[in-house]
Amino acid sequence: MACNTNCWPESHALFLKNWMQLVTFHCTQTMVSGKVLLLLLPAAEPICPEPCDCQQHQHLLCTNRGLRSVPKTAEPQDILTYSLGGNFIANISAFERLERLEELYLGNNLLPALAPGTLSTLAKLRILYVNANEIGRLSAASFSGLDSLVKLRLDGNELGSLGDSTFSGLPNLLYLHLESNRIRWLSRGAFTGLAKLRFLDLSGNQQSSLRHPDIFGPLRSLHTLLLASNSLRQLTGGLFQHLPGLAKLSLSGNRLSHLAPDAFRGLGSLKELRLEGNLLSHLPATLLEPLDSLEALDLSRNALTALHPAAFGRLGRLRELSLRDNGNAWSCDCRLRGLKRWLAAWHSQGRLLTVFVQCHLPPALAGKYLDYLNNSAVGLPPGPPPPAASTARLTLGVPIAASPTPAPLPSAAAWPRRAGAAGIPPLVSDPCDFNKLFLHNLSVEAVGSSWVTVRWAVRPHRSPRLLGPARFRLLFDRFGAAVKFQRFVYLPERGEPAATLRELRPDTPYLVCVEGVLGGRVCPVAPRDHCAGLVTLPEGGTAAAAAAGGPRGPDQQLLTLVLLAVNALLLLAALAAWAARLLRKKVLGRRRRKAAPVHVRQLYSTRRPLRSMGTGVSADFSGFQSHRPPRGAAACALSEADLIEFPCERFLDSGGGRHGDEHLLQRFAD
């Protein structure tokens, strides 16, 4: 006798609730006294626990499920990612049968500790998140067996200290997050065994000092060290000397008031140093000497009042320097001649993008920027800056401040001559030099509501024959726009140094700049020295501008006449269309009265579709299926505009019978 599903009791169908559950049935038959015995083996435990999500293969997602313990699964051997974050788990036991697990997420739970041996079976684990818990202590046994771990997040816990060899069981760790804890003390051997570590974040803790000079000694491969937002008051000399590959060091937001002269010894590869938000009042002369690879230095929001003349002397690769919010009491007098000369030289070569040095003294120059002052204001003779030589580029995107006696700055490349021998105009091939030396006196000649005319002057010059004559490009945009100079206009060669911009918005502020184009090349630095601000006139301001000599707008009287003519044509067209429609209705009415009535061959309901029962047509519709009306029926025109006429007796209540017709009216009525 064959056994099929018909021999299963109906009660066992309850085991088939979910396709994810693995239920094994074994149907065997044994003939005993003519009866069939059915043996049903019990179902295996499901792979995916009830509150979790297993839609992704080898991913067990139990995040934000309100769990208070780790759910158990029957066959977890194939799971690679296990997410338990955002629950109320306060205790975890050993993770069994998860030998292939590579990622474990336990963040945002209530774990008070990592008990020894809890994770020892996860030999292939590479990523472990236990951030935002309540862990207050760690030991070397907490991470035993995790030889493959690459990233460890312990941030946002309650750690108060780190003892010796805490991470010694993690030889392959690359990223370690310890920020936002309460760490006050680091043991001398806290980082023993982390020879491959590249990223260490200790910011947002409560450390007041780092006294052991060898505390970072084991971190030979460290690339990024973040110590921001602590309570550090001093740094021991040579603290970072064992970090030859360190590229970024952040000490911002501490309470550093003094730095040892050898505080940064050994950091020859450092590219970014952040010291903003401290209490530094001065910098030792040799503090920055070891940092010959430094590209970005932030000293803003300190209490600096003076800089040693040699403070930045070895920073040949520096690109960004921030000294803002240090008092900023600049005295723009002869003591700033060196800075003024250096700024002008680097601007001309496109090596300096933006710098704002705002004068505080003397009162006549208060509020003005050093960049825009004439040389004579600071005691410099008129003319080009002196020759200098350097290939570094410096970017100062924020205001800077220092003492009235600034440190000497790197020199710039040789400067082109203003005039050649025997009155021959100087030769210029660099568009930045052209903008700086030969363009001048940009002014606004006339302004309208949608246009503006600008003019500038050009000093005598020569350009190489291969480059051809200099051209000009106008850059303009609304003042205060997020992205500047989205619009620009190239002017024709050998044209007059003037141009009119059109299609501007009325009553809108604009910034217009002009720059030279030599051989198809423009200066990479925005032409700040040759810009003019303006505000276009309101809509009614065009006439006044025209009276002032600007381009005249369209004749208002002529425009009014044109609009009136167009309106008259449109009115005539509308009248003609109305007359044609009226005539057409009259013609159709006459034809309708002469022609025979048109009867309905088929009716379609807008409420219920007509459905035939069987293979024939319902007897109720036999009269409507004919092309002729029943005898004695008169034609009833519903309205003049209707082209379909119905037999009157089907719509009029004769009161004498034909209840079938009344049934149709009720069926098709609205």
Side-chain angles (χ1 to χ4, degrees):
M1 178 179 178
C3 177
N4 51 38
T5 56
N6 293 328
C7 66
W8 296 348
E10 293 183 0
S11 60
H12 293 297
L14 297 176
F15 287 98
L16 302 177
K17 292 186 302 182
N18 195 313
W19 68 275
M20 296 291 295
Q21 296 179 344
L22 180 62
V23 181
T24 305
F25 292 96
H26 293 279
C27 182
T28 60
Q29 298 167 350
T30 305
M31 184 67 66
V32 179
S33 301
K35 297 182 179 180
V36 177
L37 298 179
L38 177 64
L39 300 179
L40 180 63
L41 298 181
E45 294 184 33
I47 292 179
C48 190
E50 181 67 27
C52 302
D53 184 1
C54 305
Q55 294 184 8
Q56 296 187 17
H57 182 59
Q58 296 181 320
H59 287 61
L60 185 54
L61 182 63
C62 303
T63 305
N64 299 323
R65 297 299 198 275
L67 300 174
R68 297 186 179 275
S69 61
V70 178
K72 293 184 178 181
T73 179
E75 298 182 5
Q77 291 88 349
D78 293 335
I79 296 177
L80 300 181
T81 301
Y82 198 173
S83 181
L84 290 161
N87 287 289
F88 301 95
I89 300 174
N91 185 27
I92 56 175
S93 57
F95 285 85
E96 299 177 353
R97 295 187 293 175
L98 287 169
E99 292 81 5
R100 298 184 58 188
L101 190 65
E102 295 182 355
E103 300 179 18
L104 177 59
Y105 300 93
L106 291 166
N108 291 280
N109 276 283
L110 302 175
L111 296 175
L114 289 177
T118 302
L119 308 173
S120 58
T121 59
L122 308 179
K124 295 186 177 181
L125 194 67
R126 296 176 61 83
I127 297 177
L128 175 59
Y129 280 32
V130 283
N131 56 297
N133 278 273
E134 299 178 357
I135 299 175
R137 62 184 185 278
L138 292 172
S139 64
S142 300
F143 307 106
S144 61
L146 301 182
D147 295 346
S148 301
L149 199 66
V150 173
K151 183 174 183 179
L152 174 59
R153 283 194 60 178
L154 288 163
D155 50 289
N157 281 282
E158 303 293 329
L159 296 174
S161 62
L162 294 177
D164 287 337
S165 305
T166 301
F167 307 103
S168 58
L170 306 174
N172 293 301
L173 194 66
L174 300 179
Y175 303 92
L176 177 57
H177 289 265
L178 291 165
E179 66 270 23
S180 302
N181 278 276
R182 299 182 179 181
I183 299 176
R184 294 175 176 269
W185 177 75
L186 292 175
S187 172
R188 181 176 181 178
F191 303 114
T192 300
L194 298 180
K196 295 184 179 180
L197 193 70
R198 292 183 54 82
F199 178 93
L200 176 58
D201 192 347
L202 285 164
S203 58
N205 282 283
Q206 301 176 9
Q207 300 174 87
S208 58
S209 65
L210 295 172
R211 299 184 180 277
H212 300 292
D214 299 328
I215 190 171
F216 299 118
L219 308 179
R220 294 279 180 175
S221 302
L222 197 63
H223 180 274
T224 301
L225 176 58
L226 306 180
L227 292 166
S229 301
N230 277 271
S231 301
L232 295 174
R233 298 179 181 273
Q234 60 180 2
L235 296 178
T236 303
L239 181 63
F240 309 109
Q241 61 181 333
H242 302 298
L243 306 177
L246 194 66
K248 179 177 180 179
L249 174 60
S250 176
L251 293 162
S252 59
N254 282 281
R255 299 179 181 179
L256 295 171
S257 58
H258 172 74
L259 293 175
D262 58 344
F264 301 130
R265 187 178 67 207
L267 296 180
S269 300
L270 195 68
K271 297 182 180 298
E272 181 178 352
L273 176 58
R274 305 189 65 89
L275 287 165
E276 73 272 18
N278 281 283
L279 303 174
L280 298 173
S281 58
H282 70 282
L283 299 179
T286 59
L287 177 68
L288 304 175
E289 282 188 0
L291 310 180
D292 50 5
S293 298
L294 196 65
E295 297 180 358
L297 175 60
D298 194 342
L299 289 164
S300 61
R301 295 188 290 115
N302 277 279
L304 295 172
T305 58
L307 291 175
H308 193 277
F312 305 130
R314 301 290 184 90
L315 305 183
R317 298 183 182 181
L318 193 65
R319 296 170 56 89
E320 299 180 13
L321 173 62
S322 177
L323 288 162
R324 63 185 176 93
D325 297 334
N326 278 280
N328 292 21
W330 287 92
S331 181
C332 296
D333 51 24
C334 60
R335 291 172 291 180
L336 291 188
R337 286 181 297 183
L339 178 60
K340 171 69 173 173
R341 186 183 298 111
W342 178 81
L343 291 175
W346 279 49
H347 276 313
S348 66
Q349 300 178 31
R351 298 170 182 243
L352 194 64
L353 294 182
T354 307
V355 57
F356 296 102
V357 178
Q358 193 172 22
C359 300
H360 183 72
L361 295 173
L365 300 178
K368 297 185 178 180
Y369 289 98
L370 180 65
D371 240 5
Y372 298 96
L373 295 180
N374 295 327
N375 289 345
S376 58
V378 293
L380 284 174
S390 178
T391 57
R393 176 174 177 172
L394 179 63
T395 302
L396 299 178
V398 294
I400 67 172
S403 66
T405 306
L409 297 162
S411 55
W415 200 256
R417 292 174 298 169
R418 288 285 303 274
I424 301 176
L427 184 68
V428 57
S429 59
D430 185 1
C432 295
D433 293 345
F434 180 84
N435 293 343
K436 187 67 177 180
L437 293 176
F438 302 101
L439 278 181
H440 64 105
N441 291 346
L442 175 68
S443 60
V444 179
E445 282 198 337
V447 180
S449 60
S450 61
W451 56 268
V452 61
T453 300
V454 295
R455 182 177 294 275
W456 59 95
V458 183
R459 294 188 177 95
H461 68 280
R462 292 180 299 129
S463 58
R465 184 175 302 175
L466 295 177
L467 299 181
R471 298 178 59 186
F472 301 99
R473 184 173 77 165
L474 284 180
L475 302 94
F476 64 102
D477 206 340
R478 285 178 295 168
F479 188 80
V483 180
K484 297 294 181 62
F485 300 134
Q486 292 182 341
R487 306 169 67 183
F488 51 85
V489 176
Y490 284 92
L491 304 182
E493 295 183 6
R494 304 182 187 279
E496 184 182 4
T500 299
L501 301 175
R502 302 185 183 277
E503 299 182 4
L504 305 179
R505 293 186 180 183
D507 197 18
T508 302
Y510 281 89
L511 183 66
V512 182
C513 300
V514 64
E515 64 179 349
V517 182
L518 294 178
R521 298 184 299 115
V522 296
C523 184
V525 182
R528 302 178 306 109
D529 297 331
H530 309 292
C531 297
L534 59 102
V535 180
T536 52
L537 299 179
E539 287 287 356
T542 306
R552 295 182 178 273
D555 193 328
Q556 298 295 330
Q557 294 183 354
L558 179 60
L559 181 60
T560 303
L561 292 176
V562 171
L563 293 176
L564 289 175
V566 171
N567 290 334
L569 291 176
L570 292 176
L571 182 60
L572 289 176
L575 291 174
W578 178 78
R581 182 178 181 183
L582 183 61
L583 181 62
R584 182 180 179 184
K585 287 185 177 181
K586 290 183 178 180
V587 172
L588 290 177
R590 292 176 182 176
R591 291 181 180 178
R592 188 180 300 111
R593 287 192 292 271
K594 294 180 180 180
V598 180
H599 302 287
V600 177
R601 292 177 180 268
Q602 296 178 350
L603 287 179
Y604 298 92
S605 171
T606 59
R607 290 271 182 180
R608 307 179 185 87
L610 182 61
R611 300 177 181 175
S612 61
M613 302 299 294
T615 57
V617 181
S618 175
D620 294 335
F621 295 90
S622 59
F624 290 90
Q625 298 298 327
S626 173
H627 66 284
R628 293 178 298 189
R631 295 181 181 180
C636 177
L638 297 181
S639 67
E640 184 180 356
D642 293 326
L643 299 180
I644 299 178
E645 298 181 0
F646 299 87
C648 288
E649 62 181 16
R650 292 192 179 276
F651 293 87
L652 300 177
D653 186 7
S654 60
R658 299 190 63 86
H659 297 289
D661 294 342
E662 293 177 1
H663 164 69
L664 288 177
L665 286 176
Q666 182 180 2
R667 183 171 182 177
F668 284 90
D670 290 335

